[in-house]
Amino acid sequence: MNFLMRDPVIQGSSMAYHPFIPHRGPEFAMSAMLGHQPPFFPALALPPSGSLSLPGALGKPIMDQLMGAADTGLHFSSLGHQAAAAHLRPLKTLEPEEEVEDDPKVHLEAKELWELFHKKGTEMVITKSGRRMFPPFKVRCTGLDKKAKYILLMDIVAADDCRYKFHNSRWMVAGKADPEMPKRMYIHPDSPATGEQWMSKVVNFHKLKLTNNISDKHGFTILNSMHKYQPRFHIVRANDILKLPYSTFRTYVFPETDFIAVTAYQNDKITQLKIDHNPFAKGFRDTGNGRREKRKQLALQSMRSYEEQQKKENGASDDSSGEQASFKCFGQASSPAVSTVGPPHLKDFCDSEEDSDDESKDGNHKDGPDSSKISTTTGDGKDHEASPAKGHPFGSSDSTGRRTQKSQADSRQSPITVISSTTRSGEELKSPSLDQSKTDECRSISKDSFMPLTVQTDSAHMGHNHLHNFGFPPGLTGQQFFNHLGSAHPFLLHPGQFNMGGAFSNMAAGMGPLLAAVSSGGVSTMDTASMASPPQSLTGAPGLPFHLQQHVLASQGLAMSPFGSLFPYPYTYMAAAAAASSAASSSVHRHPFLNAVRPRLRYSPYSLPMTVPDSTLLTTAVPPMPTVAGGGGGPELKADGLVPASPAVTLDSSSEVTSHSSGIPSASPKACAEKDAANELQSIQRLVSGLESSQDRPRSGSP
DNA sequence: TCTCACACCTTTGAAGTGG
DNA sequence: CCACTTCAAAGGTGTGAGA
């Protein structure tokens, strides 16, 4: 606590931290002070038992570090599929000078639509071939440094470690989550671009696709069906993707965008909402000449003919009953009267690439006709309950009771900015046992894996909301439901980790080295600094850090064995990264106050977001990746134990990224640590390289 | 639960046309 | 050369049958 209290970060609302070094942030501090569980909780992704095959020299040190960390506060537990969580040691506090100048604010576009879906428990279809998200994830950024360049990313992390089932018209926990799918970060195709450019338009991530194909080679985001997820938006101030790993991540989470991945819609209401709002599903609308309409007409026709027949056969007396019943059913099933109304501007929700100019449209949809229409669309009891929303589904009053609850703090106009910190101490982590030990089913299920999330306010807040939204039984409310956004998501940078949008990936296609160019905005301006950096080309992409190469390759659609790339070699890296990231991840606090007011420092993008009424910003950092090591592999692990320790590493001085030391005790100084790290990393890299080659994977464009 | 083919629809971009 | 229109191909959707 003392440590926390003296952490300057606590005082600031905007801060920078080194991405690869866990930081202790306000979030943590606040949580601690408030008696919350430690916000961060490093999750280390480990391969299935026995599958972690690291070269002795490489693997042992890593594992030793990992395991040895126990004394220093590191703690491992099994997470779902062999993931481990590690508690990191306290890190240094941020230095004032490390603070960034900009103060980005992010607003979720089509928020009303998202909320509409959220009320019923958003479902996103995932298919083998990949499906887009609907509503599309779009945001508007403000407060960016006009001149500076930013890379905008998006990823989707599990909201908890539970598996769900749709039972009795509501989503219920059906057990523990299945093993995590490889995490992928989607880099907006326009990245990097100047703040001015980003602010001039709506940033649309509609190209991101979801899949359940674990061996996906397109770079799609892989999800587990029947699991709950939370999309996250990241802003990274960096002029080159090569610097991404060393840059500060500001992560924004919009609670209303969470959803359950499904291979087939479970909730008819959601289906209807999709049909009503998604232009591509227009053919299924009741209005118009789509299939649905035809079906409806056919049905009506048959009904009528049937009735007539009945009349003839039985006389007019009984038809009434039968008729009514029939139509009643029919009406219910196929045509929500409401939905018949033409959906508002479809384009508002699903516009083409350039959203920049669609603002007006987007804005307009609010008063779209649907509002009322939709809310009344299906009519089950639940909906009716929410009826208040009918009037203004989109209205700020927004209505739904649940919304109201959560939100008093709900400021729809201003997303809360939270900077996640990467730092955390074992002590802190442990301590927080705090009261809030609410244990819910999920938690209990996975209790081994995570520290008891606290949830108290957070959980309560979140849980309430979400549970409610998903129609969970009251009993579930308050249970650990959304505590794992981070914990279960180690920051796995591997193969398809990064998925760059079409243009991006296309540009990168087939050329590892050129990826750098890609990152530079399509121009082949390799970052010389990066290039100059030591041996990092595990994959043959000279200037590109391993993980970047991986993700790039993935996005390029290059063959990458899903698992091959995942475990053996990459693993090293993953482990490190994961550990680091996990630090931030695990338990994200959802304390309203914290969420709303304090920026949170998060270590890894895969940490869990907090639930903030409106939007939450978390700052996260990519896993520690010593620059020098570009190779990615296990270097990171080395540091003190996991992760965090990783030396701030030599960042490109030119980089705007803040490479400060944040936290780790050792971080101090780049100098010493750097050197050692560099050497060690190099050696590790060599080892890894060997492994890599043996793995034989097309991962890299060059041999 | 998942996968697949399907019909229906929107989006995209090339080609054509006119000023 | 530019703006606009037309058109076909590409691609996104939910459906429903089958596994």
Side-chain angles (χ1 to χ4, degrees), chain A residues 67 184 378 392 439 693:
Chain A
M67 305 319 279
R184 288 177 172 174
T378 42
H392 333 278
T439 47
S693 59

Side-chain angles (χ1 to χ4, degrees), chain A residues 131-175:
Chain A
R131 285 269 172 154
R132 289 183 176 183
M133 285 177 67
F134 191 87
F137 190 90
K138 298 188 294 185
V139 298
R140 183 183 299 283
C141 302
T142 58
L144 299 174
D145 181 333
K146 289 184 178 179
K147 301 285 175 67
K149 283 198 172 183
Y150 296 86
I151 292 174
L152 272 45
L153 316 86
M154 178 186 168
D155 67 350
I156 298 175
V157 299
D160 55 40
D161 64 340
C162 298
R163 181 188 177 80
Y164 295 88
K165 65 178 177 183
F166 194 71
H167 186 62
N168 291 333
S169 298
R170 56 180 58 184
W171 284 103
M172 306 178 80
V173 173

Side-chain angles (χ1 to χ4, degrees), chain A residues 64-144:
Chain A
D64 285 347
Q65 286 178 31
L66 293 176
M67 305 319 279
D71 319 87
T72 62
L74 283 171
H75 164 62
F76 295 91
S77 59
S78 70
L79 171 63
H81 53 300
Q82 293 85 34
H87 296 174
L88 304 180
R89 299 186 302 179
L91 300 178
K92 279 187 167 182
T93 58
L94 298 175
E95 302 298 330
E97 64 269 22
E98 294 168 349
E99 293 191 7
V100 294
E101 315 161 351
D102 51 353
D103 182 27
K105 296 280 189 301
V106 178
H107 301 265
L108 177 66
E109 289 293 306
K111 185 181 175 74
E112 296 78 6
L113 185 61
W114 275 105
E115 290 178 343
L116 203 56
F117 276 83
H118 192 234
K119 286 182 211 169
K120 306 203 183 325
T122 313
E123 293 174 25
M124 293 288 178
V125 170
I126 54 177
T127 66
K128 213 165 182 179
S129 58
R131 285 269 172 154
R132 289 183 176 183
M133 285 177 67
F134 191 87
F137 190 90
K138 298 188 294 185
V139 298
R140 183 183 299 283
C141 302
T142 58
L144 299 174

Side-chain angles (χ1 to χ4, degrees), chain A residues 475-655:
Chain A
L476 287 176
T477 306
Q479 292 186 355
Q480 146 200 19
F481 190 59
F482 297 83
N483 297 324
H484 303 286
L485 284 183
S487 61
H489 307 281
F491 187 23
L492 306 181
L493 287 178
H494 61 75
Q497 181 108 37
F498 283 90
N499 171 26
M500 305 188 222
F504 217 39
S505 58
N506 289 336
M507 293 195 305
M511 13 187 213
L514 291 184
L515 292 176
V518 172
S519 67
S520 301
V523 181
S524 64
T525 56
M526 282 283 253
D527 181 334
T528 52
S530 301
M531 293 299 283
S533 64
Q536 43 188 352
S537 56
L538 287 175
T539 62
L544 212 55
F546 172 75
H547 61 290
L548 287 178
Q549 293 176 28
Q550 290 293 305
H551 79 59
V552 171
L553 290 171
S555 63
Q556 293 170 14
L558 297 183
M560 291 188 297
S561 103
F563 288 103
S565 57
L566 249 167
F567 294 138
Y569 152 38
Y571 220 79
T572 312
Y573 167 79
M574 290 166 60
S581 70
S582 56
S585 43
S586 71
S587 51
V588 175
H589 280 212
R590 293 169 180 285
H591 188 292
F593 174 71
L594 290 177
N595 292 335
V597 181
R598 297 286 182 174
R600 219 179 251 198
L601 282 182
R602 200 167 265 295
Y603 179 58
S604 149
Y606 288 110
S607 36
L608 201 273
M610 4 195 250
T611 314
V612 179
D614 187 352
S615 65
T616 305
L617 155 55
L618 309 170
T619 301
T620 66
V622 183
M625 234 1 234
T627 314
V628 182
E636 297 77 296
L637 290 181
K638 87 176 258 170
D640 295 302
L642 261 198
V643 185
S646 70
V649 196
T650 65
L651 293 181
D652 193 327
S653 58
S654 65
S655 160

Side-chain angles (χ1 to χ4, degrees), chain A residues 52 58 265 309 415 424 454 511 662 703:
Chain A
L52 175 56
L58 174 59
Y265 288 119
Q309 253 189 347
R424 88 207 28 269
T454 19
M511 13 187 213
S662 43

Side-chain angles (χ1 to χ4, degrees), chain A residues 26-39:
Chain A
E27 160 191 21
F28 179 83
M30 290 305 290
S31 324
M33 291 189 283
L34 295 174
H36 286 282
Q37 161 186 5

